Amino acid sequence: MVDRHLLREFSITDDELDSFLGTSFADLTGEDADMDSVYDETSRSFDANEIIEGRVIRVDDDEVLVDIGAKSEGLVLLEEWEEDEKQPEPGDTVEVLMEDLEDIHGVILLSKRKADRIREWERIIEKCNEGDIVTGNVVRKIKGGLLVNIGVNVFLPASQVDIRRPNDIADFIGQDIECIVLKIDEPRRNIVVSRRKLIEDRRADLKRNLLEKLEEGQLREGIVKNIADFGAFVDLGGIDGLLHITDMSWGRIDHPSNMVNIDDKIEVMILNVDREKEKIALGLKQKSKSPWENIEDRYPLNSRVTGEVTNVMSYGAFVRLEDGIEGLVHISEMSWTRRINHPSELVNIGDQVEVVVLNINTDKQEISLGMKQTQPNPWDNVTEKYPIGATVTGKVRNLTNYGAFIELEEGVDGLLHVSDMSWTRKISHASEMLKKGDEIECQIVSVDEDRRRIALGLKQLAGDPWETTIPDKYGPGTIVTGKVTKITNFGVFVELESELEGLLHVSELADHKVDDPEQEVKVGEEIEVRVLRLDLDDRKIGLSRRLDAELDDVQQVDETGKPIATPGELKGGMGASGGPLFQMPTAEQEAETAAEETAAEEAPTETESAEAESTEEASAESSGEAEGTDETEETEKVDE
């Protein structure tokens, strides 16, 4: 019998066959009935995407012909059978999915692979529910996550891969992993799973059990999971503990990564357990004995030791004496003689230095060290080297408004106060007398070895003119010529000789009453005056321009130089001119006048500006070295 189905496979119609044979198809087959009607009775109708059971008729090179009971056979590609699967043979029964009822060639297209997947999905749905734990192999990475095959491909979102999202989720491809089913969408045949939730649930159980067992002082193994600037997080098997950077080593470390790496397995000590907050503090260094125990025995005070510079800061340098033991050499303890702006001028990281132990604080775990103590102190026995009254030579190192610092030797300075620079001249700033770098000769006035202070004098090298020449040269009644240097509201200052001035009071400017001294004299004008009085105690000379005044207006002095009251004063406190009695100006008046003159002076010259800048720099330089010398010394000199 002719196989009608085979003819149709080759697209040969009944009419073409009749024409070829010269007889009807019915005659050829010996059947009187219409064959289509026969097949219509034995076949049934099929729907697309329906799973059908068929029988393998023939296997070609890359195709399998399957009889599914339809008018024509279906075609399945041979590649839909997996390599490790039994290959199809004629007569085998197979489940296939109808993809297309009939193509242009009249062939029914079938798919075994899709039928298998549908059956797998149905089996998964039957035995799998939301919340179940499943195991699958990571197939590939897709947008937003991974595909995991648990019999069917399910979706694992990237956020659900791990507790901490990995750098690249593609690292999981090919791995078998366990997940928990989050959601099943049957209409869409979609399942979403989570590995993260499974881990979190398991860790929660482990955490509860672990927290009950943890005790302070226990040693536990853990795995480093994360590293931060302040420390490392270690997984103890269900809960993370913090290993702080300060608990990693007894010594100094710059970063936790210098001690541990991620995924390192380490043994740590439980330092503290907070069960309410579920926080655990861990330690590494506590596994060994603290190097600070019995530190005083190994490093007694004033002992000399050698160490390595580990860090240099603006305030000093840290020196490691041994692992876990570092001391600080403060910048003030680095040199007896050098003026150090930054410790890097003397030491650098890695240098080996000799130091002296100055102090140990075991509670704070601090050691104070000194470098200069390894060298002789130039202030030792300074009293013997610089006795009071001795004449010394030094270099002007710094100038201030209260005096000058004179370097007598390296590391030993003396202060030359402005009040000790001249017997007669009033000095506002040391720069009026000296320049930085000058070599000068001075006299030792006082020595305080404990406070490391030496007071120097310049004027003491010569005799005091107020005790020798001035009383004889400027006795009361003496007429002299001088130059007007300053004009104030209470009188005029007249320079009698270099660095010696007298006061011409406003009441002694003329025989008549004077309201404005500038109407009578000018600065720089030379005038003739008479010494009215001489005050050796206050070192002041009173002058008068009334040269022909009577003798009773002239102040008399006794043999010690103290003023004697004049007849005019005894007569009621009036001068010979009928005006107010002459009085020497008070310190307040002189200070007020000096302030007014300073405000009225012209801008300084370039040379003066340069000197002022130099003075300011020197003053700033010595501010930290003088150790309070400025205000204290000035106050002492004023008191003297």
Side-chain angles (χ1 to χ4, degrees):
M1 184 178 69
V2 178
D3 192 338
R4 180 171 175 269
H5 298 290
L6 182 61
L7 296 176
R8 286 186 176 178
E9 181 178 351
F10 290 97
S11 301
I12 301 175
T13 65
D14 293 345
D15 293 337
E16 290 173 339
L17 184 60
D18 291 342
S19 175
F20 177 75
L21 298 177
T23 183
S24 67
F25 184 79
D27 294 337
L28 185 64
T29 58
E31 297 179 1
D32 296 331
D34 184 3
M35 294 302 295
D36 287 339
S37 62
V38 174
Y39 279 102
D40 288 340
E41 292 176 0
T42 59
S43 64
R44 68 180 183 85
S45 60
F46 297 96
D47 295 326
N49 296 322
E50 180 183 354
I51 296 179
I52 307 163
E53 188 175 277
R55 181 172 59 85
V56 176
I57 298 175
R58 186 175 70 250
V59 179
D60 294 331
D61 293 338
D62 56 355
E63 295 177 342
V64 178
L65 200 65
V66 179
D67 181 8
I68 59 172
K71 293 181 180 180
S72 60
E73 288 78 17
L75 189 66
V76 182
L77 296 177
L78 184 60
E79 65 184 19
E80 294 199 16
W81 275 264
E82 302 294 339
E83 292 182 0
D84 57 349
E85 188 178 3
K86 179 181 178 298
Q87 297 302 300
E89 295 178 359
D92 288 349
T93 300
V94 61
E95 277 193 326
V96 291
L97 177 74
M98 180 172 289
E99 290 189 294
D100 196 348
L101 296 178
E102 196 172 83
D103 64 4
I104 60 176
H105 302 294
V107 178
I108 299 174
L109 297 180
L110 306 173
S111 174
K112 173 184 176 295
R113 180 177 296 161
K114 291 182 179 179
D116 290 343
R117 289 179 180 174
I118 291 174
R119 293 305 187 201
E120 287 174 355
W121 168 260
E122 292 172 350
R123 287 193 294 271
I124 291 295
I125 292 299
E126 287 179 4
K127 65 179 181 181
C128 183
N129 298 305
E130 292 181 358
D132 288 352
I133 297 174
V134 294
T135 301
N137 182 266
V138 180
V139 178
R140 66 179 183 272
K141 178 180 178 181
I142 62 174
K143 183 178 180 180
L146 298 171
L147 277 184
V148 181
N149 189 289
I150 62 171
V152 294
N153 286 340
V154 298
F155 179 57
L156 173 59
S159 61
Q160 301 298 316
V161 172
D162 207 342
I163 295 176
R164 296 180 182 88
R165 186 165 180 170
N167 295 328
D168 188 359
I169 59 175
D171 294 339
F172 285 85
I173 294 175
Q175 295 184 22
D176 290 329
I177 61 174
E178 281 189 317
C179 300
I180 190 169
V181 178
L182 293 183
K183 185 178 180 181
I184 298 177
D185 188 345
E186 289 191 35
R188 295 184 178 181
R189 295 180 182 177
N190 184 25
I191 297 178
V192 179
V193 297
S194 172
R195 179 173 177 267
R196 173 180 176 175
K197 187 175 187 308
L198 179 61
I199 295 174
E200 289 177 342
D201 291 346
R202 289 177 174 175
R203 285 174 64 89
D205 295 337
L206 291 173
K207 183 186 295 185
R208 284 191 294 270
N209 296 331
L210 189 60
L211 281 174
E212 294 176 358
K213 299 177 182 178
L214 288 179
E215 297 293 340
E216 293 182 8
Q218 286 181 346
L219 294 178
R220 291 272 181 171
E221 276 195 352
I223 298 175
V224 178
K225 289 297 183 183
N226 197 16
I227 296 176
D229 292 338
F230 53 85
F233 291 94
V234 181
D235 184 1
L236 300 176
I239 187 171
D240 286 353
L242 174 61
L243 175 58
H244 199 270
I245 186 172
T246 57
D247 291 314
M248 288 184 170
S249 172
W250 292 111
R252 181 190 299 270
I253 58 175
D254 297 326
H255 195 271
S257 59
N258 295 338
M259 292 288 296
V260 295
N261 297 307
I262 292 178
D263 293 333
D264 280 356
K265 182 179 287 187
I266 58 175
E267 186 181 56
V268 292
M269 177 178 286
I270 308 297
L271 302 182
N272 183 53
V273 180
D274 187 336
R275 290 180 170 82
E276 292 182 2
K277 296 182 179 180
E278 296 184 349
K279 291 184 177 180
I280 302 173
L282 308 175
L284 268 179
K285 70 180 185 182
Q286 288 78 3
K287 294 169 57 180
S288 60
K289 185 178 179 181
S290 171
W292 287 90
E293 293 183 16
N294 304 319
I295 189 71
E296 297 93 340
D297 297 336
R298 300 200 306 277
Y299 301 102
L301 296 181
N302 300 319
S303 62
R304 286 194 179 192
V305 292
T306 301
E308 180 183 354
V309 178
T310 58
N311 200 6
V312 179
M313 308 296 290
S314 60
Y315 52 84
F318 289 92
V319 178
R320 181 172 60 230
L321 306 182
E322 62 177 77
D323 287 341
I325 300 295
E326 284 189 359
L328 173 65
V329 181
H330 194 268
I331 190 172
S332 62
E333 303 294 345
M334 289 189 164
S335 176
W336 295 112
T337 59
R338 289 188 58 178
R339 296 161 189 84
I340 304 169
N341 296 317
H342 195 277
S344 58
E345 297 174 12
L346 286 181
V347 296
N348 295 301
I349 294 177
D351 288 353
Q352 294 289 327
V353 294
E354 187 179 29
V355 292
V356 171
V357 179
L358 303 181
N359 185 47
I360 296 178
N361 188 328
T362 53
D363 294 334
K364 294 183 178 181
Q365 295 187 350
E366 295 176 348
I367 297 182
S368 298
L369 306 173
M371 288 172 55
K372 68 182 183 183
Q373 286 76 7
T374 61
Q375 303 295 327
N377 184 358
W379 282 89
D380 290 344
N381 303 319
V382 72
T383 305
E384 299 176 5
K385 291 188 288 184
Y386 301 103
I388 295 176
T391 300
V392 294
T393 301
K395 180 186 290 186
V396 178
R397 188 180 61 80
N398 197 10
L399 300 173
T400 70
N401 59 345
Y402 55 85
F405 287 95
I406 312 299
E407 185 178 52
L408 304 180
E409 64 177 83
E410 189 175 12
V412 177
D413 287 354
L415 175 63
L416 175 58
H417 199 272
V418 289
S419 62
D420 287 318
M421 289 184 179
S422 174
W423 291 110
T424 57
R425 182 177 174 181
K426 294 181 180 179
I427 302 170
S428 301
H429 196 282
S431 58
E432 298 175 15
M433 289 283 292
L434 302 170
K435 291 182 180 180
K436 190 174 180 180
D438 286 351
E439 291 279 349
I440 63 169
E441 196 175 60
C442 302
Q443 188 177 99
I444 303 296
V445 176
S446 66
V447 178
D448 189 337
E449 189 171 322
D450 294 333
R451 299 172 70 186
R452 295 184 180 180
R453 292 178 180 175
I454 297 177
L456 304 174
L458 189 61
K459 69 182 183 182
Q460 286 81 356
L461 295 175
D464 186 356
W466 286 93
E467 296 178 357
T468 56
T469 60
I470 290 178
D472 296 334
K473 192 173 181 180
Y474 300 100
T478 304
I479 296 176
V480 294
T481 300
K483 181 188 292 185
V484 176
T485 57
K486 301 175 187 176
I487 300 177
T488 70
N489 58 350
F490 57 82
V492 175
F493 286 92
V494 180
E495 185 181 49
L496 304 179
E497 61 180 69
S498 178
E499 299 185 359
L500 180 63
E501 289 182 342
L503 175 64
L504 178 57
H505 196 268
V506 66
S507 63
E508 298 295 334
L509 265 174
D511 292 333
H512 56 276
K513 184 178 180 181
V514 176
D515 295 324
D516 185 2
E518 291 187 353
Q519 297 296 324
E520 301 295 328
V521 294
K522 303 295 181 184
V523 174
E525 179 182 351
E526 289 192 354
I527 60 174
E528 197 173 45
V529 293
R530 181 171 56 171
V531 178
L532 188 62
R533 67 191 62 193
L534 185 64
D535 190 339
L536 298 181
D537 289 340
D538 292 336
R539 298 179 178 245
K540 294 179 180 180
I541 299 176
L543 305 174
S544 174
R545 206 176 180 192
R546 296 186 297 111
L547 304 180
D548 55 351
E550 295 182 4
L551 187 61
D552 59 3
D553 284 335
V554 178
Q555 177 69 63
Q556 302 295 319
V557 296
D558 59 17
E559 64 277 2
T560 64
K562 293 184 179 297
I564 301 174
T566 64
E569 292 174 319
L570 295 174
K571 289 178 182 177
M574 302 297 291
S577 62
L581 180 65
F582 171 87
Q583 292 182 347
M584 297 295 283
T586 63
E588 289 77 7
Q589 287 176 310
E590 291 185 347
E592 181 181 353
T593 301
E596 292 175 354
E597 292 170 352
T598 301
E601 287 178 352
E602 295 180 353
T605 64
E606 293 183 2
T607 302
E608 292 172 337
S609 298
E611 292 178 354
E613 290 178 3
S614 175
T615 301
E616 290 174 1
E617 292 174 359
S619 178
E621 179 186 348
S622 63
S623 60
E625 301 165 3
E627 298 181 352
T629 304
D630 49 359
E631 295 182 1
T632 305
E633 290 288 356
E634 190 170 7
T635 302
E636 292 176 355
K637 292 299 180 180
V638 171
D639 291 340
E640 290 174 4

